Amino acid sequence: MYRITPQLSEKIKHFATFPQTGVSLRQMVMFGQNPTQGTLFKASQFLSEELPIRLALRVKELEELPHNLSEMPSIVRVKNWYAQSFQDIVEFPSREMTPVLKEITKSMNKQADMQALPENSPNLAMPNGNVGRKGVSLSHRYHSAMDGAEWPAEMHTYNEKFTKMIEAVKRRHDPVVTTVAQGILEFKQAKMSHVVDTDVQAFLDRFYMSRIGIRMLIGQHMALNKGPSRKDYVGIICTKTNLADMAQEAIDNAKFICEDYYGLFRGPEVHLHCKKDLEFMYVPSHLSHMLFELLKNSLRAVVEQYGTECEDYPPIKLIVAQGKEDIAIKISDEGGGIPRSGVPLVWTYMYTTAPSQNLDPTFDKSDFKAPMAGFGYGLPISRLYARYFGGDLKLISMEGYGTDVYLHLNRISNKMDQAVFQALTDTLSSDTNIRLTAELRLKELQVNSEFPVSLIRLALARECNVSQRHSAAVLLKNYVDTQWSEKSAKFCGPEPPAETKRIVREMVLTGLSDLTNRIRSACAYVVSKIAHHDWPEQWTNLLDVLVHHLKNGSADEVHGSMRVLTEFVNKDITHAQLPLVAPVLFPELLRILISEQLYSHATRSRCASIFRNAVEMLYTIKEEHPETVKQYLTPIIGNWNEAFIIALHKRTADNPEVEVGEWGLKTEVLKCINLAIQGFPKLMAPYLLQVFVPVWQDILHLRPRYLSQHVNTSDNTGESFQDSDGETIGFESLLFTQFEFVQMACRRRKLTQSAFIGEDGKSGILPELVWNTLNYMQMTDDQAETWVFDPNQFIADEEDDSYSFNVRIAAEDLLTTLAENFEVETLNALNLSVKQEVSSSLNEKAAGNVNWWKAQESSLLAVGIFAGDLSETIKSGSQTSVDVGALFDHVILGNLSEHDFPFLQGRSFVFASQFASILPANLASQYVTAAVEAIMKSPSAVVKVSALKALNNFNQYLDKQYIAPHQRPILQGIAPMIEITTEETLSLILRTLVSTSKINEQVTAEFEATLGPLVLDSWVKYPADHLISMDIMDFFDTLAANQPIYPALNARAMPILVNMISAANPDKARVSSAIDLLKSLVQGGPSPLPPNYVTQFFHNLMSVLLTTDDRGILQSGQECLTIVVQKDVRQIAAWRDAASGKGGLELIIQFIAKLLDPSQTESAALYVGDLISKLIKKGADLVSPILPDLLNAVTLRLAEAKLPTFIQPLVMVFAQLCLNQYEVVINFLGGLNINGRNGLDIVMSAWLANHTDFTGVYNQKVSAVALTKVFMSADPRIAAVQVEGDLIVPHSSRIVTRSRSKNTPDQFTITTVPIKIIRLLSTDLTNKIEEEENQAADSDYEDDDGDDDLEDDDDDRSREQFSYLSDIMDSHGLDMEDDKEEEADPDILVDPIYQLNMKTYLVDFFRQCVQQNSPAFAQSVAELSDVERRTLSSLLA
């Protein structure tokens, strides 16, 4: 018996590292048309290099089969045959090559007129394309231009010997199919299973497809060497294969076998319908095999359906049709059909509906007298033959009647196919010129209507290499993007004809069953792209085909269809189409999900993913279409959840690949469950605890592995696996979804309280869950390594608003959620866990474990999360659940000296600062001192930045008396760090400098020589970073507001800023930023400004503002001028431009006119109203001559204004004037006419429509008080103005789309100004009273215990929204940024209106109206609704 020696085994492994080279049918025909001894010799050289690679790859795969299949005796026998053939071929050249032939070989390699095969291509039979080492090339060449030379006799001898040798190899491999079948039978008997696993099925497909390729190469070479070919033949390829003749021959052979097997005098007739002259290029032996096997199946079915005694069998029909892209053969029988449940199984090997035959390992499958049936190989092997040249084989059966089989044969290409093939091949060339020329050629070809058909033919042509096929599919995807439909956003035309589209649609679907994952995936993307344009109108059968694949297809077809459906459900199916999709799709997805023996984890994962997309769509429409949820989700959610729970309970421990596949499946399942809980909590409520059990078990199970593979090792040994889509799966993604689920369960206390804390509040899993969470919060070795190398990343990842997400952050979120819902229990559990972790870490430290510190660091991180609440509890004198004092006494102080463990030392600094508000005086000073010393002396950047964060907290929470002594050392230590830092660290340093500089202005002033250049240099260095620019601006504002430092800072900064503010400066962003700094500098100065202060910058500033259209510069300029006017309007008025002679106020008015011009955008003129108001207030006497023109321009712009943020400051111009001069304002506006509209109409309409949206406490008060003045004027012109009243709510049930909303804008009732004012002020009063009541109730407010957490609209998204709204309510509905600006404006702070109590003021106003009983008030109240009148009465009671 042949045995593989160790030396041969090593050589096989070596050859298996090379990729195989594809040889297309076209190349074989081109090569073989005029063969010579020279070309045949070179072809033998190619085969002597190529065949060993293919054989070695098969030996390697046979050795690595799953489930111990490699150990089956018959499989071992086949492996030995392949190894023996490998040895025969690799040893042949060295044995037979003579010196003359070696010299000829060298000269051939130098010839320039030879035709080369493509570059090394991925192995079609391997799942991941190229295998083994990259960059290895054998320079395979296959030549056809070698005639005209005389070849020595030695060459003829060599060719003959080589041909005999590979002929022997071919004979040796004749029984491979039946021997492998015997091996599978042995395997099934060993497993006691009747079904072949999907991974074994996939192996057999690859193995037999590779065998077809090997035998094709050998058979072609043998035929060419045996002398002149038969007419119309090139080797074994017939250029004019006559289909009628081939079909008739197959019919005769199949009938003979049938009649012989069953002992029939006359078997069923086969009626052939085929044109006699139908010819195409093909391999007759392949076609004969397929037709024979299919006819044999039909004959057997008919005979066994009607019995051997039947005298008149129903005939079998064989119909051949010629299409543009392929030839289709249909074989129809009335043999009773196949049960629907059995259709998917007919494509599996060793499955047969006939009695099983005993397999003889010595049986030669090519023997004519083959068994009638029983191997279960006929259909799967026939389908591989069809697919090898880009065709396919389909089966449709009607149980109780019969079966139709469709054989699609890809026609060998036309001229367009050849051109596309050549151009695509050239695009893969390493020669730049060839590649560029090919790309241009493809652009020329793509305007031809046949171009997309050629692309899909090439993509499906399995005889081409994968790189060419994949390139064709990708190019087709791009073609669909740009030329398929004029509705596409990327359309550039021309659009292909409808017939071309039909052909491509039909052909691309066959790519979903391709054996190569890359091609299958690429075709799926093409299908999705086309479906986006054509489904359902032009591609009515798409969904039927996809669902048919799911029901009856192979594992490859299921996977390909899944790829399409993922995109399909996510992007193209709407609620209107759901009734067409859900009933047929959801059951099949569920069937695949639960069929773990038939489908891979990746395919089953995609089922969960597709279902999740459908659930998300239902969630988005449930408010408008609740009936859709009840109809399509409610009836099936139970079955899906049961399947999900089964999947979650699976846990494989002895097979890493299977285990990782389970992780991927569980991840997708939990994503779906989490979304369903979020969107449909009532439907999911019964399943929460059932899901919780396996999730909790996995969290426990994965913790030791997470610690060993990520926390306590640096060799990255964690398992990961690429699924069928090339996506890497690890258990970290699973942990994310598990933690998210636990958080959702935690928020639904009424359902899950028993799991977390038990019925008695003490026996739940919470203590163990908190301890596990601390473990998952430990820093990984990868994080530690990254953060030591890059402290900026350390800061970014540790920030609360970090963009990073990892298990550590996910665990922090989980712990926070636990505390939000089970506060007392969580903190008690945290206290116990921290004690346990600290104790165990000290033991690990004593034992010499270098990672001992990680448990302590995560414990301090966890306690620090609750520092605010714990500090408040301690300050109130209550006992805290967490023993913070013990941590300070026994952990923190000692950790500050752990210089060898910088992360622990740094965490201890931050921890101490988080509790700064409760630190005793001696400890506070001690920690501050330690932090300053760390900044000054620590060699670790991690410790330095941690100390910086600590100082920030100390500045925020600690009494300044403890920080003040250290202000100088802090400034001395921090400032030099800027020179060696980058973005994230710089931001932290700047924030620390801001807080430190505010401690003592005099001390800060001592460092002007350092801090001034520092802030200006930073500003110059980081012009484009918005976040850092904000920090720089804050620091500059702090320094500019420091009176002792101001003169020196102004002298240093002003020349730099003035030089930057120039019309010649092309850097618009830098100019805008310089104006912002100038505004800060002016704002920090005295009022009035020093003499000639404005002269330093005013010319440059106005030159820029009057010539630019840059929005940022214009906005910054308005704000800056507003501050300058506020500080010293008189100095502006005194300034004169030397060149034009214009005064400063004249230029400002010119600038205002530019902004109020209707051609200017509203966003660019956003603050012009503030500038005008400030100008009127500070320089009333100076602007009084032009005030009417100014107000006229404001009114004109207000008439067309749209943005509320633009309208408010313009309205405030009039509101401010109304406070003291309302009669003058009313008279002015009453006499104003703007394009046919009265000025009062324009201003009051804009004012009253936007009053409720005004931001800023001061602006709201000014608006309300001014409206009372307007109302009390009782001016009949005011009463005559009509404005918008209430919104008219349409009663239509139609969905309001964007386009419909645009075409039908909101409509309002019409009312008068007095009535509108009363309504608005009544609403204001109601809001003020509610504000006071809410503030009073805040201290008594207790969170709801979750009674409503089962409501469908009470999901996590709405929780986030409510949280945000509550934040707004807590701030009394105000824009906090506007409040800050108001507080910085001294004019506002001294204005009595700012101090006004609006509740009291409005109550007095309404009571005054009642007492006066004015007709205007009585009429206004009469126009109010009953509800509004009752509300107003109750408010005044």
Side-chain angles (χ1 to χ4, degrees), residues 345-356:
L345 299 176
V346 302
W347 304 111
T348 61
Y349 295 91
M350 301 301 293
Y351 174 83
T352 178
T353 57
S356 297

Side-chain angles (χ1 to χ4, degrees), residues 524-829:
Y525 278 119
V526 174
V527 172
S528 301
K529 290 282 186 181
I530 296 176
H532 184 70
H533 300 295
D534 292 3
W535 187 84
E537 290 81 5
Q538 286 78 42
W539 208 351
T540 55
N541 69 327
L542 172 61
L543 186 62
D544 294 336
V545 172
L546 296 176
V547 174
H548 178 76
H549 282 347
L550 299 185
K551 289 181 177 180
N552 307 313
S554 65
D556 289 336
E557 286 174 319
V558 170
H559 174 261
S561 298
M562 286 288 192
R563 292 297 302 261
V564 176
L565 287 168
T566 301
E567 298 288 318
F568 195 52
V569 175
N570 192 33
K571 296 180 180 179
D572 294 300
I573 293 179
T574 66
H575 76 278
Q577 295 155 345
L578 194 64
L580 304 174
V581 177
V584 294
L585 180 59
F586 287 175
E588 289 307 313
L589 292 176
L590 182 60
R591 180 188 63 80
I592 293 171
L593 177 65
I594 62 178
S595 302
E596 58 181 295
Q597 296 297 325
L598 294 178
Y599 301 103
S600 68
H601 288 101
T603 298
R604 295 166 63 209
S605 298
R606 198 164 288 279
C607 288
S609 176
I610 296 170
F611 186 66
R612 173 167 55 88
N613 289 337
V615 171
E616 185 167 23
M617 179 186 65
L618 289 170
Y619 175 47
T620 60
I621 66 169
K622 71 174 184 177
E623 297 297 334
E624 294 83 2
H625 304 280
E627 73 287 350
T628 304
V629 176
K630 292 180 180 179
Q631 184 175 359
Y632 295 109
L633 185 60
T634 304
I636 65 173
I637 194 69
N639 293 334
W640 277 88
N641 277 318
E642 290 173 6
F644 286 161
I645 292 167
I646 292 173
L648 291 173
H649 273 286
K650 291 288 183 180
R651 188 177 301 113
T652 301
D654 57 349
N655 189 324
E657 186 172 322
V658 173
E659 185 178 30
V660 174
E662 288 176 352
W663 294 341
L665 175 58
K666 290 180 179 181
T667 299
E668 290 301 326
V669 163
L670 278 174
K671 284 180 181 178
C672 186
I673 290 174
N674 291 342
L675 180 65
I677 294 172
Q678 184 172 299
F680 308 97
K682 282 186 176 180
L683 291 179
M684 295 299 294
Y687 306 97
L688 274 182
L689 290 179
Q690 296 179 56
V691 174
F692 195 93
V693 172
V695 170
W696 171 234
Q697 290 172 347
D698 268 345
I699 290 174
L700 293 176
H701 175 73
L702 292 173
R703 182 192 62 82
R705 177 173 294 180
Y706 179 77
L707 293 179
S708 64
Q709 294 181 1
H710 294 275
V711 175
N712 296 321
T713 182
S714 58
D715 58 3
N716 297 320
T717 57
E719 288 99 338
S720 64
F721 178 70
Q722 281 196 334
D723 66 11
S724 58
D725 299 324
E727 298 176 359
T728 301
I729 302 172
F731 63 80
E732 289 182 283
S733 298
L734 175 58
L735 287 171
F736 295 154
T737 56
Q738 288 173 337
F739 289 173
E740 182 183 2
F741 169 79
V742 174
Q743 291 181 73
M744 288 186 170
C746 179
R747 294 187 184 108
R748 288 151 179 85
R749 290 187 52 173
K750 295 187 72 173
L751 293 173
T752 60
Q753 179 170 319
S754 60
F756 284 103
I757 60 175
E759 298 294 345
D760 58 358
K762 300 177 182 179
S763 57
I765 66 162
L766 193 60
E768 193 173 4
L769 175 57
V770 170
W771 179 76
N772 276 271
T773 304
L774 288 190
N775 278 251
Y776 283 115
M777 284 173 62
Q778 289 188 34
M779 191 181 300
T780 66
D781 283 341
D782 185 55
Q783 288 169 338
E785 182 180 347
T786 300
W787 292 342
V788 167
F789 178 75
D790 186 1
N792 287 289
Q793 191 63 45
F794 172 59
I795 295 173
D797 290 347
E798 289 289 284
E799 290 290 340
D800 292 336
D801 56 352
S802 171
Y803 291 108
S804 301
F805 194 71
N806 48 54
V807 174
R808 177 180 170 97
I809 294 174
E812 291 180 50
D813 293 343
L814 173 56
L815 185 62
T816 302
T817 303
L818 292 174
E820 289 172 353
N821 294 275
F822 302 99
E823 181 178 2
V824 174
E825 295 84 357
T826 299
L827 293 180
N828 285 333

Side-chain angles (χ1 to χ4, degrees), residues 77 136 256 290 407 568 636 653 957 965 1070 1202 1284 1373 1433:
R77 186 180 301 115
V136 181
F256 177 82
M290 292 183 285
L407 176 61
F568 195 52
I636 65 173
Y957 300 118
R1070 182 63 62 83
K1202 298 288 189 277
E1284 290 180 347
S1433 298

Side-chain angles (χ1 to χ4, degrees), residues 331 343 347 394-398 402-406 548 552:
I331 300 176
V343 172
W347 304 111
K394 303 287 185 180
L395 181 147
I396 299 176
S397 187
M398 293 177 61
T403 300
D404 290 346
V405 177
Y406 295 86
H548 178 76
N552 307 313

Side-chain angles (χ1 to χ4, degrees), residues 140 226-227 460 779 838 1026 1029 1136 1232 1432:
H140 295 333
K226 287 184 177 179
L460 300 178
M779 191 181 300
V838 170
H1026 177 66
S1029 296
R1136 285 286 181 276
L1232 196 63
L1432 184 58

